[in-house]
């Protein structure tokens, strides 16, 4: 018979040790560093958002802001809206997407499905890499030299779209390429084994499998090019009027409106600039949300 | 339906690597032929060359003849796509199309070939799923994605998909290696059923499985690492497993190597 004290006494020294002080210190240090850099990275973003919303949000609450242009208003008159610039931004972004997305997806399909490691594919990859490093001002000046100086086209929204195409193609090629690569080869083989030709396998099996990711990539790329400023500064004139014609005349866009109205150094100009900033952020957010919504609808389901 | 296959002096290459050397064999119709042998001996490569899936891999090529009822599938005028339509294949890992429902997976081959008649497709889907012993399990959820089924069900879905295009021959590349014993049994039973309508060639690492399901067995081996694989012998399964004519076959089957 044993007493309670006997049972409570350990029979042998414990096999496991406590975490020692040095490890505990390193763990705490790493946690603080990781957390700290997270806050550091987030702070400017939050600061920027708060500033933009604080200075601009009051102006976009007005229904006129979304429905009217600045036509006929002097730089001292409050009122009007940025409808003309919203239209310009959307139109230029959309035309750019319509041209760039099919080209980029076809390039990615070539690289992944046909080119593999051929010399041409390597050259294409290299070119796309270089293109993705081209600054937007260089793309704008190239289009200026090509379309306006050489081909004699007028400055127009369409020229802006062409410059944006140069900026958008590498982004979409890259994302699409990565997404097509992760489609398992087993699916391609399964389709081949059913007697499905290669092109049909790509169109009906491979691209649909990667579609959800491709849509996300495209919507992010559109959102990015809509904020580009250099092409609109170089390739199209600013106007306070609404212009639906991408091939002729000046056309406002939100970045262009901001850089132009920035020169109006009074409260009216300030209101227009900050209001346009909020509007641009809102539009880009809507695009991203739309993209993730569509990609969720097209994503692969197992249940 | 159900044609015979004659392979004549088939050499297979991956780029410069000579993977399979001089294989000749005959597979009669409505018959199950099993390919056994150690890893790397080329049995899967030979199987894939029987419906020209071998050449899908970059750099891979084939020399020699594969005759389907006397017609060379490697003739220069033959479209590989039409060969694969006649000779179906089931892979090691179940690979249903993730974007498609169960029904659409089954009829994918027909649908992608341009068949648009819903009623006909529904009929084919039911027939193929019944043929693959899967109908009872999925008939209430045909519109659900194929990826939601269990591994064994997915593999039977892939078999249904392969037989829905009504091929003459069905090639199976280790169809049970990713499955549990119960699902394996279901597939083996299914192979016995399918034998009535199709010529079947199956690659397996499981010798008991070869003994259970096949009528004739081909043993492949390779002389050493880096050497091409060869067909050692092809005979009735019973003979291979009881009294093989080659020493290497006996050693392999009795577990002395491999």
């Amino acid at each position: 018979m044993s007493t309670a004290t006997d049972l409570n006494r350990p029979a042998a020294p414990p096999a496991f040790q406590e975490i020692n002080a040095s490890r505990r210190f390193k763990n705490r240090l790493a946690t603080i560093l990781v957390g700290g850099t997270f806050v550091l990275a987030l702070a400017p973003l939050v600061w920027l958002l708060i500033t933009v919303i604080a200075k601009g949000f009051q102006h976009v609450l007005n229904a006129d802001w979304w429905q009217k242009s600045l036509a006929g208003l002097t730089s001292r008159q409050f009122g009007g809206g940025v409808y003309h610039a919203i239209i310009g931004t959307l139109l230029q972004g959309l035309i750019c997407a319509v041209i760039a997305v099919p080209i980029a997806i076809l390039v990615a399909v070539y690289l992944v499905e046909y080119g593999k490691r051929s010399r041409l594919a390597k050259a294409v990859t290299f070119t796309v890499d270089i293109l993705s490093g081209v600054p937007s001002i260089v793309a704008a000046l190239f289009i200026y030299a090509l379309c306006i100086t050489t081909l004699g086209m007028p400055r127009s929204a369409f020229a802006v779209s062409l410059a944006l195409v140069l900026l958008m193609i590498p982004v979409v090629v890259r994302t699409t390429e990565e997404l097509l690569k992760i489609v398992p080869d087993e699916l391609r083989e399964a389709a081949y084994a059913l007697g499905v030709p290669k092109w049909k396998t790509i169109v009906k099996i491979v691209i649909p499998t990667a579609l959800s990711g491709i849509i996300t990539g495209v919507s992010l790329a559109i959102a990015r090019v809509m904020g580009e400023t250099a092409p609109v500064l170089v390739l199209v004139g600013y106007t306070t009027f609404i212009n639906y014609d991408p091939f002729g005349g000046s056309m406002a866009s939100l970045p262009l409106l901001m850089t132009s109205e920035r020169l109006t150094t009074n409260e009216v100009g300030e209101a227009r600039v900050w209001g346009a900033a909020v509007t641009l952020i809102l539009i880009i957010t809507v695009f991203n949300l739309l993209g993730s919504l569509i990609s969720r609808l097209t994503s692969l389901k197992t249940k | 339906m159900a044609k015979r296959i004659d392979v004549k002096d088939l050499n297979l290459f991956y780029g410069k690597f000579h993977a399979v050397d001089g294989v000749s064999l005959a597979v009669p119709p409505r018959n199950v032929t099993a390919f056994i042998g150690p890893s790397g001996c080329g049995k899967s490569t030979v199987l894939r060359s029987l419906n020209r899936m071998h050449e899908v891999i970059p750099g891979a090529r084939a020399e020699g003849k594969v005759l389907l009822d006397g017609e060379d599938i490697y003739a220069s005028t033959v479209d590989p796509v039409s060969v694969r339509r006649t000779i179906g294949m089931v892979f090691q890992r179940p690979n249903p199309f993730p974007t498609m429902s169960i029904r659409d997976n089954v009829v994918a081959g027909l649908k992608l070939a341009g068949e648009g008649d819903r009623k006909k497709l529904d009929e084919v889907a039911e027939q193929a799923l019944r043929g693959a012993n899967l109908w009872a399990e999925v008939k209430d959820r045909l519109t659900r994605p194929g990826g939601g089924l269990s591994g064994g069900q997915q593999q039977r879905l892939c078999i249904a998909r392969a037989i829905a295009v009504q091929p003459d021959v069905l090639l199976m590349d280790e169809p049970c290696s990713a499955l549990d014993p119960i699902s394996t049994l279901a597939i083996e039973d299914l192979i016995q059923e399918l034998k009535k309508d199709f010529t079947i060639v199956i690659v397996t690492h499981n010798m008991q499985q070869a003994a259970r399901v096949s009528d004739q067995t081909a043993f492949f081996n390779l002389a050493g690492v880096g050497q091409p694989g060869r067909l050692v012998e092809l005979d009735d399964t019973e003979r291979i497993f009881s009294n093989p004519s080659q020493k290497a076959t006996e050693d392999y089957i009795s577990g002395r190597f491999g």
Side-chain angles (χ1 to χ4, degrees):
Chain A
M1 226 179 110
S2 59
T3 63
T5 46
D6 285 332
L7 284 175
N8 284 340
R9 199 171 55 207
F16 305 113
Q17 300 161 354
E18 284 179 31
I19 301 172
N20 66 32
S22 124
R23 267 184 64 202
R24 205 172 300 168
F25 171 74
K26 282 186 214 157
N27 181 42
R28 202 158 295 162
L29 186 73
T31 311
I32 291 170
L33 275 178
V34 170
T37 44
F38 171 69
V39 171
L40 209 64
L42 210 61
L45 181 69
V46 173
W47 190 356
L48 183 147
L49 272 179
I50 290 174
T51 313
V52 172
I53 288 171
K55 296 200 173 183
F57 200 65
Q58 62 212 0
H59 308 297
V60 308
L61 292 174
N62 192 337
D64 276 358
W65 180 264
W66 300 93
Q67 292 165 2
K68 290 193 173 158
S69 70
L70 292 172
L73 292 172
T74 68
S75 55
R76 291 170 189 282
Q77 283 176 293
F78 276 105
V82 294
Y83 179 78
H84 60 309
I86 295 174
I87 284 299
T89 292
L90 291 179
L91 209 58
Q92 289 160 13
L94 217 66
I95 293 173
C96 160
V98 165
I99 301 171
V101 171
I103 296 175
I105 289 181
L106 287 175
V107 169
V109 165
Y110 169 76
L111 288 177
V112 178
E113 307 289 337
Y114 291 95
K116 298 259 163 51
R117 272 152 290 173
S118 71
R119 200 170 294 171
L120 178 59
K122 274 185 192 153
V124 171
T125 307
F126 183 63
T127 317
V128 169
D129 278 348
I130 291 182
L131 203 54
S132 67
V134 168
S136 56
I137 182 73
V138 175
L141 289 174
F142 168 72
I143 294 295
Y144 192 94
L146 179 75
C147 297
I148 293 154
T149 312
T150 311
L151 298 177
M153 282 167 55
R155 290 166 85 215
S156 65
F158 185 69
V160 172
S161 296
L162 288 182
L164 296 180
V165 163
L166 293 180
L167 301 172
M168 191 176 186
I169 282 179
V171 181
V172 180
V173 168
R174 267 302 150 95
T175 41
T176 310
E177 195 186 350
E178 293 307 318
L179 287 158
L180 292 180
K181 271 188 196 158
I182 57 170
V183 173
D185 270 340
E186 283 133 40
L187 293 182
R188 297 184 179 89
E189 295 204 332
Y192 296 155
L194 288 172
V196 180
K198 185 169 182 173
W199 69 270
K200 224 171 200 176
T201 303
I202 294 166
V203 174
K204 299 279 190 176
I205 307 288
V206 179
I207 291 182
T209 304
L211 188 64
S212 138
I214 294 177
I215 290 172
T216 310
V218 166
S219 72
L220 285 176
I222 294 179
R224 216 210 100 186
V225 297
M226 284 197 310
E228 284 293 348
T229 312
V232 288
L233 280 178
V234 175
L235 293 165
V236 72
Y238 176 66
T239 170
T240 53
F241 291 87
I242 298 167
N243 177 11
Y244 292 107
D245 179 12
F247 296 101
S250 301
M251 186 191 284
S253 57
L254 289 164
L256 188 54
L257 180 141
M258 284 157 76
T259 47
S260 306
E261 294 294 342
R262 201 170 54 84
L263 306 174
T264 317
T265 50
N266 60 16
E267 281 173 13
V268 175
E270 210 164 281
R272 288 174 185 169
V273 170
W274 288 110
V278 170
T279 312
L280 186 57
I281 290 175
L282 279 177
I283 289 177
I284 288 173
T285 310
V286 166
F287 257 84
N288 286 346
L289 290 177
L290 224 73
S292 61
L293 180 75
I294 298 173
S295 91
R296 192 164 305 170
L297 290 178
T298 53
S299 71
L300 306 176
K301 302 163 194 80
T302 51
K303 288 289 163 212
Chain B
M1 291 293 270
K3 291 181 176 169
R4 64 174 291 118
I5 305 172
D6 293 283
V7 178
K8 287 188 178 153
D9 199 25
L10 186 67
N11 284 281
L12 300 168
F13 303 85
Y14 290 107
K16 279 178 191 152
F17 177 61
H18 193 180
V20 175
D21 182 33
V23 168
S24 296
L25 54 83
V27 179
R30 295 193 179 76
N31 177 297
V32 179
T33 301
F35 287 1
I36 60 169
S39 296
C41 69
K43 52 195 188 310
S44 284
T45 308
V46 171
L47 187 82
R48 288 169 62 92
S49 72
L50 297 183
N51 69 341
R52 296 190 65 168
M53 285 295 287
H54 173 61
E55 67 207 65
V56 169
I57 296 160
R61 66 200 163 83
E63 283 170 10
K65 279 184 175 171
V66 176
L67 306 176
L68 186 69
D69 265 9
E71 206 181 326
D72 186 7
I73 66 169
Y74 279 100
S76 58
T77 50
V78 168
D79 176 6
V81 169
S82 71
V83 170
R84 295 179 198 133
R85 218 165 268 169
T86 327
I87 306 177
M89 192 161 197
V90 176
F91 297 85
Q92 189 169 354
R93 293 228 317 258
N95 50 4
F97 298 129
T99 50
M100 297 184 188
S101 68
I102 291 172
R103 169 194 176 272
D104 287 347
N105 256 290
V106 176
V107 297
L110 291 176
K111 230 174 151 181
L112 294 180
E115 175 64 59
D117 184 352
R118 282 192 68 89
K119 236 179 145 182
K120 194 187 164 199
L121 290 177
D122 284 336
E123 274 169 32
V124 170
E126 182 174 343
Q127 238 172 22
L129 284 168
R130 280 186 195 282
N133 282 333
L134 192 59
W135 177 251
E137 290 157 67
V138 302
K139 64 173 191 281
D140 300 322
R141 44 173 174 163
L142 289 172
T143 54
R144 298 289 186 77
L149 298 173
S150 75
Q153 289 173 327
Q154 286 190 17
Q155 192 60 305
R156 277 180 284 153
L157 178 64
C158 292
I159 294 177
R161 181 175 68 185
I163 62 179
V165 293
Q166 299 194 308
D168 298 324
V169 178
L170 203 55
L171 307 176
M172 297 180 155
D173 190 357
E174 297 183 44
C176 303
S177 65
L179 305 182
D180 67 292
I182 305 281
S183 309
T184 302
L185 189 68
I187 304 248
E188 287 181 7
D189 287 345
L190 176 58
I191 292 173
Q192 293 307 317
E193 294 280 316
L194 294 172
K195 197 173 109 175
K196 294 171 191 155
D197 299 311
F198 301 96
T199 306
I200 295 174
V201 183
I202 176 172
V203 166
T204 177
H205 263 295
N206 179 336
M207 282 183 272
Q208 286 77 20
Q209 182 172 62
R212 282 193 300 263
V213 302
S214 70
D215 300 307
Q216 59 170 4
T217 299
F219 173 60
F220 290 80
N221 201 359
L222 71 175
V225 178
Q227 304 276 328
R230 290 173 301 111
L231 172 65
V232 176
E233 64 175 314
L234 168 70
D235 212 331
D236 287 346
T237 299
E238 229 168 275
R239 180 88 63 88
I240 290 273
F241 281 94
S242 58
N243 186 21
S245 52
Q246 299 288 325
K247 177 92 171 47
T249 315
E250 198 184 339
D251 286 352
Y252 183 71
I253 283 165
S254 56
R256 237 163 280 168
F257 86 96

